[in-house]
C-alpha cells in the first residue's frame, strides 16, 4: 500500500500541471453545465456559454487522449530501458498505481462532478446514481481502450500512430460492414426475407455487457503487459477475452435490463386492436430516389389503413413487417422490404392521428399542430417493377403483417403560463422562467429542463410535448420545443456518456428550452386567430408520451385491386 | 567458489540471429567481473537477460541464487544497475530521484548517499534531463550504490565520458564497496578503466563466451613476442596458441596466448633458432584488441 501511494504521488508530482489543467477543465465544464440554464434570459450569452461548453468537451477529449498515455508511459510496460524495471517495484503495483490515478481522474472525478450537478438541481438520488453508474461504465470502457493503447506503446508518438492505425482499421471495418449490410439488403430486396416478427423491445443488456467486456479485456491486457512486458502475450490475451466476451454476449440468456412491456391488458386481446383497409385498393407507385446497383426498380403499394379498438389517449403507429398479394392468375408476390412506418387513421376520425389523440387528452375541440391534414397511407407492399408492372391493373388477395406500436398520451401537468411554474417527473423537470409574446404575437416560453435516464431504468421511453389551451377548452396549440442554441461542433450527445449539457440522447442533460407557439402550423386551416382574451386565460399542458410496446396484427384485403399511380 | 551470477547455455535469439549463444559462465562472489567484447558481441543482451529485462530463448541464469526470469522486487533490492541506455526519470532533480528511491530499499544508507553525493560532486538542482551525460551517470551510480547492493551491474558506464568523470565514477564504485565488498559485473569498451577495476575478465564475441578468467591469470598468459631475424616470417608461426600481429622489417610480432605454461619460453626459442627474441607483457587493452582482431579475421576467413 505504501509503495502504491509512493508511485501515485510520484505521478501526481510529475504531471501536476497536466492534472491541474484537467481538473480545471472538469470543474469549468461542471459549473457551466449547472449554471448555463440561468443565462436563458439572454439567449446570446446562453449561446456563448454553449459554445464554451462544446469547446470544453473537445478539450477534455483531447486532454484524456494525451493524459492517459503520458501517465502510463511514465512507467512504460514495453522496452527494456525503463528505470522502474530494474528497481524493486512490483509490476502489479505500477499497474495498480496507474489504474488508481487514471480511474480517479477520468472516471471518478467527472462522475462525482456530474452527480453533484444532478443533486444540486434536485434530480432524485436514485435516478442520479443510475445515471452515474451508466456514465461510470462507459467512461471506464473508454479508459480501458486508451489504457490498452498506452501500455503497448513506448511513447506518445507511437501511441498516436497506433490510434491512427486503429482509426483507419475501424474505417475499413465499417466499410466492410456497410458493404455486407448492403449485400444483405440487396438479397432481401431480391426475394430473401424472414418471417414477420416484432422486433424485441429495447434492451441495453448487451451494450452494458459489451462495455464490461471492453473493461475486462482492456484492464486484463494492461495487467498482463505490465507483468510479462510481452505484447505477444498481452495482446492475444486481451483480444481473446474480448472475443470471448462478445461471444458470451451474443448468447447471453438473461436480459436483465430489458424494458418490460408496458402494454395495457386490453391490447393483448386479439380482438381489441384491429386493422382494416378503408378501401379495397392498393395504389402502386414508383419509389422515388431509389437506385441501388443489383436491385430492381421497386414499386410500393399503399392503402388507407384504419386502426380500431383503441382506448382514448392511445396513439398508434404502423410498421410493415411483411405482406404478400396472391393475384387472380395464381401468382403470389411477397413484399421485398419491411420496416416502413405510417401514422394510420384511427377509427371514427379522418384527421391526422396526433390531432385526434391530442384532442382526447387535452379535452378540446380543436388542436393546432404541424402535421398533414389527414392520416398517412400505410405502405403495404414493396414489389419489383419488372414483376408487377406487366400485371397491372391486377386483382387478388392481400395479407399484410404489421406491428402496431402504441404510445400512451396523458396530460401530465397543467401549469399556469407564468414564471415559476414547475413540473417534475422522477426523470424529468420543466420549470418556466419567462413567458414572452413576440412582435408577431406568438407565445414563447423560456424554461429550464433536465432529464436523467439510464440503461438501468428498465422503463419505457418517455417524451414530453407542450400545448397551450385556455380554460374554456375551445382549442389548443402545440409548442415547438428546442434548445435555443445548438452547438457549432459535435457534442457528446451521441456518446454513451454525456459530457455537455446539450444533446437529447445523453443520459443526463440540463439545459434551457424554448417552447414557441406559432400562429400558423403550415396548413390554411391550421392558422390561429389572435385573441388576447384567449391568451390571457391560457395555460400550459405538458403531455407525457410513453412508448409502451407493440402488438402484431394482420391486415387482410380479400378482394384487392392493385392500381398504378404516378 | 560461490557464484553471484551463474549462467548455463544462456541463449537469446532474434529471428535467426543469436545475440547470445549458449553462454555459460560464473561470476564469483565479491569479484569485479569485466565483460568485454567488440560492438554487437552480446554484452548488453547478456546483462539484460541477467536483469530479467529480456527472456532467454534457451538456457538459464541464476542471479544471487534466483532464476533470472523470477527476479522480483526482493532480489532487485540487492542489485544495483547502471546502464548507458537506462531512461532515468528526466523530470526529477537528482535530489527528487534520491527521495523517490529511498523508500524502495530497506538497506538504504543515507550517510553513504551523502558521501557519494559529495565525492561525485553532485550539486545539480535542475531536472535530470537537463544534465550532462556524465552527471546523469553519476546520478545513476549514486542511486545504485546508496543501498549497498550485493551485486552491482554496470552496462557500458564509461562510454562517452571524460577521464575525470570516469575517475570519479571508479573511485565512487571502489569506495562504496570498500568496507562491504559487493560483486561487480561491468561491461565496457573502456579497457583501461576496466583493468583498474576488474579482477576477472570475460571475453564475449558473437554471443559466445571465449574465455572468463582472473585478470592476473589473463595478463600472465598473454605475451607480446618480437622475433628479430632475417629468416623469420609469419608463415613460421605454426602454433595455434600464437596470434600473428605482423612483420615490420626484420621483426616478426605475435602474441603468445599460453605464456603461463612452463615450457612457453622453450617453445618459442625452439621455433626460431638463432633469432633474437624479446618478450613483454601485454596490457588488457592490447589483449582485447588482439582477440577482437583475430575474431574478426576468423569470421572473414569463414565467410570466404
Amino acid at each position: 500500500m505504501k509503495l502504491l501511494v509512493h508511485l501515485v504521488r510520484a505521478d501526481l508530482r510529475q504531471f501536476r500541471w497536466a492534472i491541474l489543467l484537467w481538473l480545471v477543465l472538469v470543474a469549468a465544464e461542471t459549473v457551466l453545465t449547472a449554471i448555463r440554464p440561468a443565462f436563458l434570459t439572454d439567449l446570446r450569452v446562453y449561446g456563448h456559454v454553449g459554445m464554451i461548453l462544446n469547446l470544453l468537451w473537445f478539450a477534455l477529449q483531447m486532454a484524456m487522449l494525451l493524459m492517459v498515455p503520458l501517465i502510463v508511459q511514465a512507467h512504460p510496460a514495453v522496452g527494456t530501458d525503463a528505470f522502474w524495471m530494474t528497481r524493486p517495484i512490483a509490476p502489479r503495483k505500477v499497474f495498480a498505481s496507474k489504474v488508481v490515478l487514471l480511474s480517479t481522474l477520468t472516471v471518478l472525478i467527472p462522475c462525482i462532478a456530474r452527480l453533484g450537478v444532478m443533486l444540486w438541481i434536485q434530480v432524485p438520488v436514485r435516478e442520479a446514481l443510475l445515471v452515474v453508474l451508466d456514465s461510470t461504465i462507459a467512461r471506464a470502457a473508454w479508459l480501458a481502450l486508451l489504457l490498452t493503447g498506452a501500455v503497448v506503446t513506448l511513447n506518445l508518438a507511437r501511441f498516436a500512430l497506433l490510434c491512427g492505425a486503429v482509426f483507419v482499421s475501424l474505417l475499413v471495418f465499417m466499410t466492410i460492414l456497410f458493404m455486407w449490410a448492403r449485400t444483405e439488403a440487396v438479397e432481401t430486396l431480391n426475394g430473401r426475407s424472414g418471417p414477420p416478427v416484432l422486433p424485441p423491445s429495447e434492451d441495453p443488456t448487451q451494450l452494458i455487457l459489451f462495455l464490461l467486456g471492453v473493461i475486462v479485456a482492456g484492464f486484463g491486457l494492461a495487467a498482463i503487459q505490465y507483468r510479462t512486458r510481452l505484447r505477444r502475450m498481452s495482446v492475444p490475451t486481451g483480444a481473446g477475452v474480448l472475443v470471448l466476451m462478445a461471444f458470451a454476449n451474443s448468447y447471453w440468456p438473461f436480459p436483465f435490463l430489458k424494458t418490460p412491456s408496458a402494454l395495457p391488458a386490453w391490447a393483448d386481446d386479439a380482438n381489441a386492436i384491429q386493422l382494416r383497409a378503408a378501401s379495397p385498393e392498393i395504389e402502386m407507385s414508383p419509389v422515388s430516389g431509389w437506385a441501388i446497383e443489383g436491385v430492381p426498380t421497386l414499386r410500393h403499394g399503399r392503402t388507407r389503413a384504419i386502426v380500431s379498438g383503441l382506448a382514448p389517449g392511445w396513439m398508434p403507429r404502423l410498421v410493415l413487417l411483411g405482406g404478400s398479394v396472391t393475384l387472380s392468375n395464381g401468382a403470389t408476390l411477397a413484399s421485398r422490404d419491411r420496416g416502413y412506418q405510417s401514422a394510420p387513421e384511427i377509427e371514427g376520425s379522418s384527421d391526422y392521428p396526433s390531432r385526434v389523440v391530442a384532442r382526447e387528452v387535452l379535452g378540446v375541440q380543436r388542436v393546432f399542430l404541424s402535421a398533414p391534414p389527414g392520416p398517412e397511407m400505410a405502405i403495404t407492399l414493396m414489389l419489383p417493377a419488372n414483376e408487377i408492372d406487366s400485371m397491372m391493373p391486377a386483382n387478388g388477395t392481400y395479407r399484410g403483417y404489421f406491428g402496431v406500436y402504441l404510445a400512451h398520451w396523458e396530460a401530465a401537468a397543467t401549469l399556469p403560463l407564468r414564471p415559476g411554474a414547475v413540473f417534475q417527473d422522477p426523470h424529468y423537470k420543466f420549470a418556466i422562467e419567462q413567458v414572452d409574446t413576440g412582435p408577431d404575437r406568438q407565445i414563447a416560453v423560456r424554461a429550464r429542463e433536465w432529464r436523467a435516464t439510464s440503461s438501468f431504468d428498465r422503463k419505457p421511453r418517455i417524451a414530453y410535448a407542450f400545448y397551450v389551451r385556455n380554460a374554456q377548452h375551445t382549442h389548443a396549440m402545440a409548442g415547438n420545443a428546442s434548445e435555443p442554441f445548438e452547438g457549432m461542433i459535435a457534442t457528446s450527445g451521441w456518446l454513451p456518456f454525456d459530457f455537455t449539457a446539450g444533446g437529447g440522447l445523453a443520459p443526463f442533460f440540463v439545459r434551457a428550452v424554448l417552447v414557441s407557439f406559432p400562429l400558423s402550423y403550415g396548413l390554411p386551416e391550421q392558422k390561429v386567430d389572435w385573441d388576447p382574451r384567449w391568451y390571457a386565460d391560457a395555460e400550459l399542458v405538458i403531455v407525457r408520451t410513453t412508448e409502451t410496446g407493440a402488438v402484431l396484427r394482420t391486415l387482410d384485403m380479400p378482394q384487392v385491386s392493385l392500381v398504378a399511380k404516378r | 567458489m560461490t557464484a553471484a551470477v551463474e549462467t548455463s547455455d544462456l541463449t537469446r535469439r532474434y529471428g535467426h540471429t543469436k545475440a547470445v549463444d549458449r553462454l555459460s559462465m560464473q561470476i564469483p562472489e565479491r569479484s569485479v567481473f569485466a565483460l568485454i567484447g567488440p560492438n554487437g558481441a552480446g554484452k548488453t543482451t547478456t546483462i539484460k537477460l541477467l536483469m530479467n529485462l529480456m527472456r532467454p530463448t534457451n538456457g538459464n541464469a541464476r542471479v544471487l541464487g534466483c532464476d533470472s526470469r523470477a527476479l522480483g522486487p526482493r532480489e532487485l533490492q540487492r542489485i544495483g544497475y547502471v546502464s548507458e541506455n537506462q531512461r532515468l526519470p528526466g523530470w526529477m532533480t537528482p535530489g527528487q530521484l534520491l527521495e523517490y528511491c529511498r523508500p524502495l530499499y530497506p538497506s538504504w544508507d543515507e550517510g553513504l548517499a551523502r558521501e557519494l553525493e559529495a565525492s561525485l560532486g553532485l550539486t545539480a538542482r535542475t531536472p535530470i534531463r537537463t544534465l550532462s551525460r556524465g552527471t546523469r551517470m553519476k546520478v545513476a551510480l549514486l542511486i545504485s550504490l546508496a543501498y549497498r547492493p550485493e551485486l552491482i551491474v554496470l552496462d557500458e558506464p564509461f562510454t562517452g565520458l571524460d577521464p575525470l568523470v570516469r575517475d570519479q565514477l571508479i573511485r565512487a564504485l571502489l569506495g562504496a564497496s570498500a568496507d562491504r565488498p559487493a560483486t561487480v559485473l561491468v561491461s565496457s569498451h573502456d579497457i583501461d578503466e576496466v583493468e583498474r577495476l576488474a579482477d576477472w575478465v570475460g571475453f564475449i564475441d558473437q554471443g559466445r563466451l571465449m574465455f572468463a578468467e582472473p585478470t592476473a591469470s589473463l595478463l600472465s598468459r598473454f605475451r607480446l613476442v618480437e622475433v628479430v631475424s632475417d629468416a623469420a616470417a609469419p608463415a613460421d608461426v605454426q602454433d595455434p596458441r600464437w596470434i600473428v600481429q605482423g612483420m615490420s622489417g626484420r621483426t616478426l610480432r605475435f602474441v603468445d596466448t599460453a605464456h603461463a605454461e612452463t615450457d612457453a619460453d622453450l617453445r618459442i626459442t625452439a621455433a626460431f633458432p638463432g633469432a633474437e627474441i624479446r618478450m613483454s607483457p601485454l596490457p588488457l587493452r592490447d589483449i582485447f584488441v588482439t582477440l577482437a582482431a583475430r575474431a574478426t579475421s576468423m569470421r572473414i576467413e569463414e565467410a570466404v
Side-chain angles (χ1 to χ4, degrees):
Chain A
M1 190 64 187
K2 267 186 183 172
L3 179 59
L4 189 70
V5 173
H6 184 63
L7 294 171
V8 171
R9 277 178 58 191
D11 279 342
L12 280 173
R13 195 169 183 174
Q14 182 176 0
F15 299 105
R16 56 190 179 280
W17 296 115
I19 290 170
L20 188 66
L21 177 66
W22 169 263
L23 294 176
V24 167
L25 287 174
V26 172
E29 196 272 344
T30 304
V31 170
L32 285 182
T33 298
I35 65 168
R36 183 167 70 135
F39 296 112
L40 67 83
T41 48
D42 187 339
L43 294 183
R44 204 166 57 90
V45 177
Y46 183 83
H48 290 161
V49 175
M51 196 164 71
I52 292 170
L53 268 173
N54 283 334
L55 292 173
L56 278 174
W57 176 84
F58 187 72
L60 279 164
Q61 304 312 307
M62 288 297 107
M64 190 161 167
L65 268 174
L66 285 173
M67 199 168 60
V68 172
L70 279 177
I71 289 180
V72 169
Q73 289 165 354
H75 294 82
V78 291
T80 56
D81 300 323
F83 176 73
W84 74 272
M85 290 176 183
T86 54
R87 301 288 144 181
I89 302 171
R92 66 171 190 282
K93 290 282 170 69
V94 179
F95 170 67
S97 73
K98 302 298 174 190
V99 169
V100 166
L101 182 58
L102 287 171
S103 302
T104 304
L105 289 174
T106 65
V107 180
L108 200 62
I109 289 176
C111 285
I112 287 176
R114 188 46 36 104
L115 181 66
V117 171
M118 284 192 279
L119 295 180
W120 187 62
I121 60 169
Q122 294 169 345
V123 175
V125 175
R126 181 184 172 275
E127 275 64 32
L129 287 174
L130 288 180
V131 168
V132 166
L133 179 62
D134 226 357
S135 295
T136 303
I137 291 172
R139 286 182 163 278
W142 181 226
L143 172 62
L145 284 176
L146 294 182
L147 189 67
T148 301
V151 293
V152 297
T153 49
L154 188 61
N155 51 41
L156 201 57
R158 291 187 187 184
F159 176 78
L161 275 177
L162 179 70
C163 287
V166 168
F167 182 69
V168 170
S169 306
L170 268 177
L171 281 184
V172 171
F173 177 72
M174 297 292 278
T175 307
I176 293 170
L177 205 67
F178 173 76
M179 287 166 71
W180 175 81
R182 188 181 166 282
T183 311
E184 284 287 296
V186 168
E187 278 186 24
T188 305
L189 293 170
N190 276 321
R192 209 195 71 184
S193 60
V197 285
L198 279 171
S201 62
E202 206 165 293
D203 180 14
T205 308
Q206 290 202 324
L207 173 67
I208 294 295
L209 286 177
F210 173 74
L211 291 176
L212 291 175
V214 169
I215 294 167
V216 171
F219 282 76
L221 183 152
I224 291 169
Q225 180 62 32
Y226 265 109
R227 188 177 171 77
T228 64
R229 298 202 297 268
L230 296 172
R231 279 177 286 213
R232 65 171 186 272
M233 291 278 286
S234 64
V235 174
T237 308
V241 170
L242 195 61
V243 169
L244 203 69
M245 296 291 280
F247 185 76
N249 197 1
S250 23
Y251 292 98
W252 183 256
F254 311 111
F256 54 88
L257 296 178
K258 187 175 180 178
T259 307
S261 171
L263 282 170
W266 55 262
D268 284 337
D269 184 352
N271 298 318
I273 299 168
Q274 292 294 320
L275 274 182
R276 67 178 176 84
S279 71
E281 206 170 72
I282 292 179
E283 295 175 359
M284 300 302 298
S285 48
V287 180
S288 57
W290 186 267
I292 299 179
E293 197 183 335
V295 178
T297 310
L298 292 169
R299 301 272 183 266
H300 60 205
R302 300 186 305 167
T303 194
R304 269 182 63 202
I306 300 173
V307 180
S308 59
L310 290 171
W314 288 85
M315 167 77 181
R317 181 167 49 92
L318 290 189
V319 176
L320 176 67
L321 300 175
S324 62
V325 62
T326 304
L327 302 178
S328 47
N329 62 4
T332 299
L333 302 174
S335 179
R336 296 295 171 82
D337 206 4
R338 59 174 72 180
Y340 296 94
Q341 299 189 23
S342 53
E345 185 175 326
I346 296 174
E347 179 82 65
S349 172
S350 59
D351 205 350
Y352 192 78
S354 295
R355 272 194 285 270
V356 177
V357 180
R359 278 200 301 270
E360 290 168 356
V361 170
L362 298 167
V364 295
Q365 291 144 19
R366 194 170 180 202
V367 170
F368 294 90
L369 60 83
S370 297
E376 291 171 354
M377 302 273 275
I379 293 183
T380 53
L381 282 169
M382 285 290 269
L383 296 174
N386 58 3
E387 285 181 27
I388 191 66
D389 284 1
S390 58
M391 299 181 188
M392 294 290 286
N395 295 317
T397 310
Y398 169 79
R399 167 164 275 203
Y401 298 90
F402 290 86
V404 182
Y405 285 78
L406 297 172
H408 185 224
W409 290 32
E410 58 190 321
T414 303
L415 304 179
L417 259 179
R418 63 168 179 265
V422 175
F423 161 71
Q424 181 160 2
D425 256 359
H427 298 272
Y428 180 76
K429 186 175 180 179
F430 178 92
I432 299 176
E433 288 288 319
Q434 192 174 320
V435 181
D436 305 320
T437 309
D440 54 356
R441 292 174 174 177
Q442 76 169 17
I443 293 179
V445 175
R446 297 186 194 196
R448 298 183 195 204
E449 67 172 0
W450 58 250
R451 182 176 296 196
T453 54
S454 95
S455 310
F456 299 93
D457 287 338
R458 298 183 74 241
K459 285 187 178 157
R461 196 174 286 226
I462 291 173
Y464 296 91
F466 305 92
Y467 294 84
V468 283
R469 73 174 178 200
N470 76 346
Q472 283 73 47
H473 291 204
T474 52
H475 63 266
M477 297 185 301
N480 301 322
S482 64
E483 194 178 3
F485 174 82
E486 294 296 340
M488 286 171 69
I489 53 173
T491 63
S492 65
W494 55 276
L495 288 173
F497 53 88
D498 69 301
F499 225 109
T500 70
L505 293 176
F508 166 73
F509 64 78
V510 51
R511 65 182 184 184
V513 63
L514 188 66
V515 189
S516 55
F517 298 89
L519 297 179
S520 171
Y521 288 86
L523 300 169
E525 65 271 23
Q526 290 277 300
K527 262 202 169 84
V528 184
D529 292 325
W530 170 250
D531 179 355
R533 285 169 304 169
W534 190 92
Y535 283 106
D537 203 16
E539 59 197 4
L540 182 77
V541 182
I542 298 176
V543 173
R544 185 193 297 122
T545 305
T546 310
E547 299 287 346
T548 59
V551 291
L552 179 64
R553 291 291 184 267
T554 55
L555 173 64
D556 285 310
M557 299 169 76
Q559 287 181 325
V560 68
S561 301
L562 304 186
V563 293
K565 182 160 187 187
R566 295 287 158 192
Chain B
M1 179 183 75
T2 318
V5 175
E6 193 172 2
T7 70
S8 170
D9 288 331
L10 194 67
T11 304
R12 170 71 193 197
R13 261 195 295 267
Y14 295 107
H16 294 295
T17 309
K18 282 182 180 170
V20 176
D21 188 7
R22 286 168 287 148
L23 188 142
S24 298
M25 68 172 183
Q26 288 190 332
I27 299 178
E29 265 188 357
R30 297 195 178 84
S31 67
V32 178
F33 189 104
L35 193 61
I36 60 175
N39 280 335
K43 302 185 294 292
T44 296
T45 305
T46 303
I47 285 178
K48 285 185 172 175
L49 290 170
L50 296 178
M51 291 301 297
N52 193 25
L53 292 169
M54 283 181 182
R55 300 256 158 165
T57 314
N58 278 314
N60 62 71
R62 295 189 77 76
V63 178
L64 297 178
C66 173
D67 188 322
S68 66
R69 286 166 296 195
L71 222 57
R74 195 174 296 176
E75 291 75 29
L76 289 171
Q77 284 177 340
R78 299 158 61 201
I79 302 172
Y81 174 78
V82 177
S83 166
E84 61 161 348
N85 300 316
Q86 193 171 34
R87 292 197 311 173
L88 296 175
W91 64 275
M92 289 187 190
T93 63
Q96 287 169 339
L97 186 58
L98 280 174
E99 272 176 41
Y100 178 76
C101 290
R102 192 179 298 123
L104 304 176
Y105 298 96
S107 60
W108 186 271
D109 185 337
E110 191 57 30
L112 177 60
R114 296 289 158 229
E115 260 176 49
L116 286 167
E117 208 173 3
S119 68
L120 288 166
L122 273 175
T123 52
R125 297 288 176 267
T126 51
I128 290 169
R129 65 170 174 272
T130 64
L131 301 178
S132 68
R133 184 180 158 71
T135 313
R136 284 207 300 269
M137 289 309 283
K138 286 180 190 175
V139 173
L141 192 67
L142 167 57
I143 55 163
S144 300
L145 295 179
Y147 49 93
R148 298 189 182 279
E150 292 168 43
L151 172 65
I152 302 165
V153 180
L154 308 166
D155 184 13
E156 302 283 3
F158 308 118
T159 308
L161 303 183
D162 66 55
L164 188 68
V165 175
R166 288 182 200 190
D167 196 57
Q168 279 182 314
L169 290 180
I170 290 172
R171 275 193 284 116
L173 186 62
L174 295 175
S177 56
D179 55 336
R180 205 185 300 170
T183 309
V184 178
L185 166 61
V186 55
S187 82
S188 181
H189 285 112
D190 296 276
I191 310 300
D192 295 336
E193 312 300 348
V194 163
E195 192 168 4
R196 288 170 61 192
L197 271 174
D199 49 24
W200 274 73
V201 174
F203 183 81
I204 187 170
D205 183 49
Q206 290 221 301
R208 290 186 200 153
L209 186 72
M210 310 310 281
F211 61 80
E213 63 185 279
T215 314
S217 150
L218 185 71
L219 292 174
S220 68
R221 194 158 66 81
F222 281 73
R223 282 289 181 279
L224 173 67
V225 181
E226 290 178 309
V227 180
V228 183
S229 163
D230 290 331
D236 298 333
V237 180
Q238 302 288 342
D239 195 317
R241 289 168 290 189
W242 296 343
I243 302 168
V244 177
Q245 287 197 325
M247 188 103 193
S248 162
R250 295 169 56 229
T251 307
L252 169 69
R253 281 193 187 81
F254 65 88
V255 173
D256 181 13
T257 63
H259 202 76
E261 292 172 14
T262 47
D263 61 342
D265 288 355
L266 288 175
R267 275 189 289 114
I268 296 167
T269 317
F272 302 98
E276 181 193 342
I277 297 170
R278 292 193 293 261
M279 284 180 265
S280 51
L282 275 174
L284 191 58
R285 185 181 179 286
D286 291 356
I287 295 173
F288 170 74
V289 170
T290 305
L291 291 172
R294 183 175 70 165
T296 307
S297 66
M298 282 171 70
R299 279 201 296 276
I300 292 169
E301 278 169 26
E302 276 171 24
V304 171

